[in-house]
Amino acid sequence: MHEFSIARSICRIALEEAERHGASRITAVCVEVGTMRQVVPELLKTAFEAAGSGTPLEGATLELQAAPVEATCNQCGHVSHCETLQMNCERCDSSDVQFAGGNNLRVNSIRVAEEVCHEH
Amino acid sequence: MNIEVLRDVQESIKADANDIRAALDVQGIRMFNLMGGDGCGKTRLLERLLPKLAGDVRCAVLEGDITTTLDAERIARVNVPVVQLQTNGCCHLEPSLIRGGLDRLPLNELDIIIVENVGNLVCPAEFDIGEHARIAVLSVTEGHDKPAKYPLLFSRADAVIISKMDLLEYTNFDLEQCARNIRLVNANAPIFEDSAEWKLDPAFLKWLAAMPASCA
Ligand SMILES: Nc1nc2c(ncn2[C@@H]2O[C@H](COP(=O)(O)OP(=O)(O)OP(=O)(O)O)[C@@H](O)[C@H]2O)c(=O)[nH]1
Ligand SMILES: [Mg+2]
Ligand SMILES: [Zn+2]
């Protein structure tokens, strides 16, 4: 359900950036989503469509890129990057693992249809 | 044409939250964000905690709920200023709602504000509301696997309370496994055990009191 709030924020940022670059239509928005964030992709896409309809985002696709979480083994020190929380170290199989990062929620880029006509 | 953006999706919510925190710092008020699943015992904890603090610390409560004023009525009965924030269907609190609640509290007469977030293990954890510290509550009837299944809430918690300990014997809740699951995502937060039938853990009261106002 919080996907609607997140979708509105994504749309606001994308529209601001498009306007700043003099673009009147956005075809895609690329968003990085950390593994720790509990965002349901399907819900976010539906919310994004709803929030963008009737704006230059109408018909734009939302591209989600997963940002991995870092798992450090407290026993052997091995560090791995995973896109789900794996409970055991991939090297020594210890369950004494510490997760960090994977908290990103960031608009990385947008694709726009037109050429830039003027820069501010 | 591709345009690089690199902007935090929640930049405006974070800015609002930082403004709230800064305003509270000026007033010397610490705000706690109390989060946990529905029915885990958040309001019951406040009903026991607030009378305990009365006299030493001046408290107020912001009660977040999807609808109804039931929880605020419970808090009002222990004679603490309370504002019910109704999200009208929304699953979490955001800074804009908090600001409206703060406007209705006597801020220059307060030391602590506790915000009871909407009962939900998922959504509230995603939003900074301008708090100085987050408290996660997990009841033994919910299961020891929850910190691993809902990592964000527990990874961002500054303290974790395991509640309804009086029911432990009726469940298969494994305290050690639970602590391990919390430590997977949170190396430092203290873990307190609690039950409505017990006295409040003095270590928890000490933790609450030790949290200085500017330690966001
Ligand atoms: N046995 C037992 N029951 C408890 C305890 N704490 C709370 N309860 C009961 O659990 C139920 C839910 O408690 P609340 O305090 O309303 O829970 P909450 O987290 O505020 O619920 P929401 O605000 O609806 O999310 C109530 O019936 C409480 O009396 C406890 O320590 N032991
Ligand atoms: Mg409650
Ligand atoms: Zn290892």
Side-chain angles (χ1 to χ4, degrees), chain A residues 5 16-17 37-38 99 110, chain B residues 3 5 7 94 126 184:
Chain A
S5 166
E16 271 175 26
E17 292 291 328
R37 304 304 291 245
Q38 301 156 125
F99 292 100
I110 60 174
Chain B
I3 299 171
V5 176
R7 283 169 64 181
E94 291 192 21
E126 299 273 346
L184 280 174

Side-chain angles (χ1 to χ4, degrees), chain B residues 79-127:
Chain B
N79 294 316
V80 167
V82 57
V83 175
Q84 180 79 49
L85 306 174
Q86 284 174 9
T87 66
N88 293 319
C90 194
C91 49
H92 61 271
L93 295 172
E94 291 192 21
S96 53
L97 256 180
I98 298 294
R99 202 183 291 280
L102 292 176
D103 287 345
R104 292 159 60 193
L105 286 176
L107 294 182
N108 42 23
E109 296 164 18
L110 293 177
D111 303 309
I112 283 185
I113 295 171
I114 304 179
V115 182
E116 181 182 336
N117 217 311
V118 180
N120 181 329
L121 285 168
V122 182
C123 316
E126 299 273 346
F127 297 87

Side-chain angles (χ1 to χ4, degrees), chain A residues 57-111:
Chain A
L57 277 164
E58 180 99 49
T61 51
L62 180 64
E63 294 172 10
L64 301 178
Q65 301 168 305
V69 63
E70 190 174 90
T72 306
C73 175
N74 290 328
Q75 293 306 314
C76 77
H78 181 70
V79 177
S80 56
H81 293 87
C82 39
E83 286 177 15
T84 53
L85 294 190
Q86 295 155 4
M87 299 305 161
N88 292 54
C89 170
E90 60 182 14
R91 190 162 82 185
C92 74
D93 203 39
S94 163
S95 60
D96 187 7
V97 178
Q98 179 78 55
F99 292 100
N103 281 319
N104 271 5
L105 199 54
R106 189 175 68 181
V107 179
N108 275 350
S109 63
I110 60 174
R111 278 201 300 281

Side-chain angles (χ1 to χ4, degrees), chain B residues 39 41-44 63-65 71 74 116-117:
Chain B
K42 298 179 293 298
T43 309
R44 190 81 192 87
E63 268 298 339
D65 274 301
D71 279 3
R74 287 168 64 184
E116 181 182 336
N117 217 311

Side-chain angles (χ1 to χ4, degrees), chain A residues 4 17 28 41-42 45 48 52 54 64-66 102 104 111-112 119:
Chain A
F4 280 90
E17 292 291 328
E42 289 319 309
K45 285 181 179 169
F48 172 79
L64 301 178
Q65 301 168 305
N104 271 5
R111 278 201 300 281
V112 298
E119 294 266 333

